[in-house]
Amino acid sequence: MVAVSVPTAASAQQATARQPDIRVVGHRDPEGLLPDQTEPKAVSAISSDFIVKQAPTLNAFQLVNLLPGANVASSDPYGLSSSSSLTLRGLGQDEIGVLLEGAPQNDIGYYYAYPSQFADPGNVRQIALAQGSVDIDSPTVGGAGGLLSLTLDDPKTTPQALVDLSLGSYALRRVFARVDTGEIGRTGLKAFLSYLNTRADNWRGAGYDTRQHVDAKLLREWGGGNRASLALSYNDANNASYPSPTLADWEAKGRNFNYDARYSAENTNYWRLYRAPFRNLYASAPVHLALSDRLTLDTTTYLQFGYGNSPYGTELATTGNFLGNEELTQPIALPGAIDGVATVLGNYTGDQMRTGNVSKLTLRAGVHQITTGLWFDYGTDRVAQTYTAVDAYGRPADRWGYRSKAIRTADGRLLANENQRTVTVTRAFFLADSIALGPRLTIDVGIKGVGLLRNGRNYLPGPQRRVRRDSFTLLPRAAVHYMLDDRQQVFANVTTNFRTPNEFTLYDSYDGGVVTTRGTDALKNEYSVSQELGYRYIGPNLSGSITGFHYKFRNRQLATVIDAGGAQVNSTLNAGGQTSYGIDAEIDYRPARGVSVYVSGEYLRARIDDDLPVGADFLPTRGKRAVSSPVLQIGGGGTYDDGHLFGSIAGKYVGRQYATFVNDESIRDYATLDVAIGVHMADWLDGKRTDLRVNAINVTDPHVLAGVQAVTTNANDVVGRRGTTIAGAAPAYYVGSGAAVVATLSRGF
């Protein structure tokens, strides 16, 4: 076979013209885990060839778990729960940009991305993971941890259909159907439309998850590489949460640390009070136009809508309440109140809209390939923490937490602990030049300027009405790529990244009419400088890469979860300076046709550079290891596919992870193992795709904590540098998911 290098510049045609073809005769990579690259930075990927062998419910985070640097903590084996996390080189998912068809997927206010909402894996052609930085034209804020890019499959050229049926452990039922139109008349248009319906019981504790999902893509291609498409992804889910234990909870109850299966009066731990409904719509319209033989235009317009509730159980009294800093002198009406107290559903709702466009022009002029462009993004985020009545059986009157159905004060105002609306406007420009100094050497230089404005309104009575934060940062970068020969490459780069504090930091919060946390616009932006030095080899039966990396952070922002009146709310801690360095490596060996063996690994040293201020004292954190940053990770697996029988095996080892800045609490290392076996039956039937596969997830079923959900500065009381005692707070953790087995029958028509 002939393998041609994947281009890195603005368009495939231009990049192919600028880089020599890599032509290697040998066995193709059946996993798609190590596609050929010529980018001057670390990039790993998985393709549909690998995805189709995995359990069909897995989300994008779980699917990239084998790749170097990817540390995935998932609360359920099927990837349906929103309780999951991804870190890259010790940097959390709020530091990782996520794109779907070129459109951003991260939350506009808190930077999180939620993989259970992404496009169905059956429609994904490739998931690329750039561990070190985002591309200069990526419409993302931050991204020091890297970039996760999902590319949807193009519609097929001929009319066809596919149906998947899955049954599995914990009463899993899944139906997936996709229809491709082929060319529609003589328009040149082609499209696909898919529908997914999934239901599964919680693997631990009471509750169940449901998910309905629709993906669609419309594509038009014409001469000269021109193409325009519209991709839509709609998600409607209702997920039962998994509680995250402290270490003491885990040691006392283990996997039995769950919500209650039955309701009783005054019970705020009933599982129905923790079901999280969400609806999201993502639309992206990428266009590539060849304006001339030297000039191209790439533009992507996107639009997003989302609404959801992250509820919890709590108690509310008819008297003694406050709205902001205002004491409510009149009692509130609470259905089902006993002695003036009622169990209610506490809502934490988010209503987001986001739209934007990123456009760039690329000009080839002699040895130069110049790219310039603009990015504009406008988003609104309406957040409210309200209350909804619960009946005598523990059923909420409205699980969505709509404000129109929430409990009101005696004079008709919305009773809320938090009530705010934030508008975020992002403007950016970028300019880059890729200079070809001969057929083997390319030097890239570029600069990106990003301005981010937040304008907000706090609707609670109190001293704060309006909030505003405006910042602008210049982000230079440079890279070099050299082809040693047709099989070997070396590269090096320097990139910069920044991130503003999330919107939560702008607002006052109240408890008992008193401001307990003062909102501020004075927090400093996180800023980082990173370097990579790497080597790649692309051989006939063996491919591999190794990358050394180094990061230096100022005002390192760490995402955590705090308890805000019962709600688990995303927040941020300033961890001061941090220095990280390490090595990522991956090897793919193909000894025979249809056989692949893949191994990846990471060595990471991440250290806190400063003592952290707490009140009038400082925690002794200088030189401590960074949280959620295991020193060692190793992934490995293999696939076999002879055209009739196929299978795969994948294992991952993750080292010890600290959960506090002073390193006084951690979770031990652990390993997981997934196995799959299947058979292609098309040749034995009518020649149309018919596959049967069985996936065993986490077959060794280790009873472990898989990751840190909520970090704290210190778990135990610590004496500060100035002699005062700084009280500890217990971190919370993700419980590693249990074992599961899924059988899937796929049939093409």
Side-chain angles (χ1 to χ4, degrees):
M1 55 85 67
V2 177
V4 182
S5 63
V6 175
T8 64
S11 75
Q13 289 184 329
Q14 295 165 352
T16 303
R18 300 294 300 273
Q19 296 284 0
D21 287 348
I22 302 172
R23 301 186 180 275
V24 181
V25 177
H27 301 294
R28 77 174 188 91
D29 175 11
E31 287 184 294
L33 284 168
L34 226 170
D36 301 342
Q37 300 283 357
T38 59
E39 297 204 29
K41 62 178 183 179
V43 181
S44 301
I46 61 173
S47 76
S48 57
D49 293 327
F50 174 79
I51 294 171
V52 75
K53 295 181 177 67
Q54 311 311 305
T57 63
L58 298 187
N59 62 49
F61 286 1
Q62 292 170 309
L63 288 170
V64 301
N65 186 44
L66 276 187
L67 301 183
N71 177 17
V72 179
S74 183
S75 292
D76 77 290
Y78 293 136
L80 297 173
S81 171
S82 58
S83 299
S84 64
S85 74
L86 168 67
T87 63
L88 289 176
R89 297 175 177 173
L91 303 177
Q93 64 197 66
D94 61 324
E95 297 271 14
I96 302 168
V98 179
L99 302 179
L100 173 64
E101 289 287 291
Q105 305 295 290
N106 302 75
D107 185 290
I108 190 63
Y110 303 98
Y111 307 116
Y112 273 74
Y114 304 97
S116 59
Q117 300 172 2
F118 295 171
D120 189 90
N123 296 319
V124 174
R125 183 173 73 242
Q126 186 185 70
I127 304 176
L129 189 66
Q131 290 93 339
S133 63
V134 299
D135 298 326
I136 197 169
D137 59 343
S138 296
T140 60
V141 176
L147 181 68
L148 183 74
S149 301
L150 289 84
T151 303
L152 290 182
D153 186 23
D154 282 345
K156 309 299 183 185
T157 57
T158 58
Q160 52 189 278
L162 175 70
V163 175
D164 279 6
L165 302 175
S166 300
L167 296 173
S169 306
Y170 315 113
L172 170 71
R173 301 192 301 271
R174 175 186 177 272
V175 177
F176 170 81
R178 168 172 161 164
V179 176
D180 285 77
T181 64
E183 185 175 356
I184 303 173
R186 297 184 178 180
T187 63
L189 291 169
K190 52 185 179 178
F192 78 74
L193 174 68
S194 73
Y195 171 75
L196 168 76
N197 190 308
T198 304
R199 185 200 184 282
D201 291 342
N202 281 17
W203 74 272
R204 66 179 178 95
Y208 61 93
D209 297 325
T210 61
R211 184 189 187 212
Q212 294 188 84
H213 190 91
V214 176
D215 290 325
K217 187 173 182 179
L218 181 68
L219 174 65
R220 174 75 159 86
E221 296 177 294
W222 61 100
N226 294 288
R227 60 181 279 148
S229 63
L230 172 64
L232 300 173
S233 187
Y234 172 76
N235 193 73
D236 185 338
N238 193 8
N239 298 328
S241 302
Y242 293 95
S244 298
T246 65
L247 196 58
D249 294 329
W250 174 250
E251 291 173 348
K253 296 186 177 181
R255 290 179 171 180
N256 292 320
F257 183 78
N258 297 310
Y259 296 120
D260 295 337
R262 297 184 180 277
Y263 182 72
S264 57
E266 302 180 356
N267 184 359
T268 61
N269 199 50
Y270 181 48
W271 70 272
R272 289 188 183 274
L273 303 180
Y274 294 85
R275 287 182 58 75
F278 281 88
R279 289 190 183 125
N280 309 83
L281 174 65
Y282 300 94
S284 177
V287 177
H288 173 76
L289 298 174
L291 304 179
S292 71
D293 59 348
R294 297 193 304 148
L295 182 65
T296 61
L297 169 67
D298 290 275
T299 180
T300 299
T301 302
Y302 55 87
L303 177 66
Q304 302 171 7
F305 295 98
Y307 179 87
N309 188 14
S310 298
Y312 57 96
T314 188
E315 288 187 334
L316 196 61
T318 57
T319 58
N321 295 296
F322 291 83
L323 188 63
N325 68 347
E326 177 187 332
E327 184 176 6
L328 301 178
T329 57
Q330 297 296 317
I332 59 176
L334 290 178
I338 301 175
D339 296 329
V341 177
T343 298
V344 296
L345 183 75
N347 305 300
Y348 194 83
T349 61
D351 189 351
Q352 289 198 357
M353 186 281 295
R354 186 177 186 184
T355 186
N357 174 272
V358 56
S359 297
K360 65 180 179 182
L361 287 168
T362 303
L363 174 68
R364 288 190 292 117
V367 299
H368 297 274
Q369 183 168 279
I370 301 170
T371 301
T372 184
L374 299 171
W375 171 38
F376 175 80
D377 185 284
Y378 177 90
T380 62
D381 188 16
R382 183 73 159 88
V383 174
Q385 189 182 158
T386 61
Y387 305 96
T388 299
V390 172
D391 69 14
Y393 301 97
R395 295 174 302 198
D398 170 36
R399 61 188 174 91
W400 287 94
Y402 290 126
R403 295 188 297 275
S404 61
K405 300 179 180 180
I407 293 171
R408 299 268 168 171
T409 64
D411 57 5
R413 289 178 295 170
L414 184 69
L415 184 66
N417 275 355
E418 187 176 346
N419 192 359
Q420 64 208 35
R421 181 178 185 270
T422 310
V423 175
T424 302
V425 180
T426 308
R427 303 180 184 90
F429 72 87
F430 49 90
L431 176 64
D433 189 7
S434 182
I435 308 167
L437 301 178
R440 296 187 178 276
L441 177 63
T442 303
I443 295 176
D444 297 339
V445 293
I447 189 167
K448 185 174 186 177
V450 183
L452 191 143
L453 169 67
R454 294 198 197 273
N455 249 323
R457 169 90 183 268
N458 191 341
Y459 294 98
L460 294 180
Q464 184 186 65
R465 285 291 184 269
R466 300 282 183 178
V467 300
R468 179 183 174 91
R469 178 187 172 90
D470 197 356
S471 63
F472 178 82
T473 305
L474 285 174
L475 302 170
R477 60 174 58 199
V480 60
H481 178 270
Y482 185 71
M483 302 285 296
L484 298 173
D485 53 36
D486 288 346
R487 295 183 178 179
Q488 300 181 86
Q489 314 167 32
V490 292
F491 61 87
N493 63 65
V494 178
T495 59
T496 55
N497 281 284
F498 93 112
R499 201 190 74 168
T500 63
N502 67 43
E503 67 181 41
F504 181 83
T505 61
L506 295 173
Y507 292 95
D508 291 349
S509 60
Y510 300 86
D511 185 15
V514 178
V515 176
T516 54
T517 302
R518 180 71 65 183
T520 177
D521 62 358
L523 290 178
K524 295 181 179 179
N525 290 338
E526 176 185 282
Y527 189 84
S528 65
V529 180
S530 63
Q531 303 90 28
E532 288 183 331
L533 177 63
Y535 167 83
R536 289 193 190 100
Y537 176 81
I538 303 173
N541 299 315
L542 179 70
S543 299
S545 70
I546 183 169
T547 304
F549 57 87
H550 177 271
Y551 293 85
K552 187 70 174 180
F553 284 90
R554 296 200 307 264
N555 301 304
R556 169 84 165 94
Q557 293 176 19
L558 279 170
T560 187
V561 176
I562 63 172
D563 187 295
Q568 298 300 298
V569 179
N570 295 325
S571 187
T572 302
L573 299 174
N574 189 324
Q578 180 177 315
T579 301
S580 304
Y581 62 89
I583 296 174
D584 284 337
E586 57 183 337
I587 296 174
D588 185 44
Y589 177 49
R590 303 174 292 277
R593 181 179 179 182
V595 179
S596 178
V597 179
Y598 176 84
V599 178
S600 70
E602 178 178 87
Y603 172 80
L604 173 66
R605 301 291 286 185
R607 300 286 183 178
I608 300 172
D609 295 338
D610 303 306
D611 289 335
L612 298 187
V614 177
D617 207 337
F618 290 83
L619 273 173
T621 56
R622 181 191 297 268
K624 300 294 186 180
R625 292 186 183 177
V627 297
S628 301
S629 300
V631 173
L632 185 64
Q633 294 187 76
I634 299 174
T639 62
Y640 174 82
D641 193 335
D642 64 7
H644 293 290
L645 184 67
F646 65 92
S648 69
I649 184 170
K652 185 67 179 283
Y653 167 82
V654 180
R656 177 179 296 273
Q657 301 178 65
Y658 285 98
T660 67
F661 294 170
V662 297
N663 293 173
D664 61 348
E665 191 168 297
S666 64
I667 58 174
R668 65 180 180 86
D669 56 346
Y670 69 93
T672 59
L673 181 66
D674 298 340
V675 177
I677 188 169
V679 58
H680 301 295
M681 298 184 289
D683 291 346
W684 301 332
L685 299 173
D686 54 5
K688 295 181 179 180
R689 174 181 169 182
T690 308
D691 295 339
L692 175 65
R693 73 179 186 272
V694 177
N695 294 91
I697 306 168
N698 203 17
V699 292
T700 57
D701 196 19
H703 291 224
V704 296
L705 296 172
V708 186
Q709 188 225 20
V711 302
T712 65
T713 55
N714 50 300
N716 305 307
D717 293 351
V718 173
V719 177
R721 297 293 191 189
R722 295 178 177 175
T724 62
T725 298
I726 300 171
Y733 302 94
Y734 296 106
V735 175
S737 66
V741 178
V742 186
T744 302
L745 177 64
S746 301
R747 171 65 176 172
F749 298 94

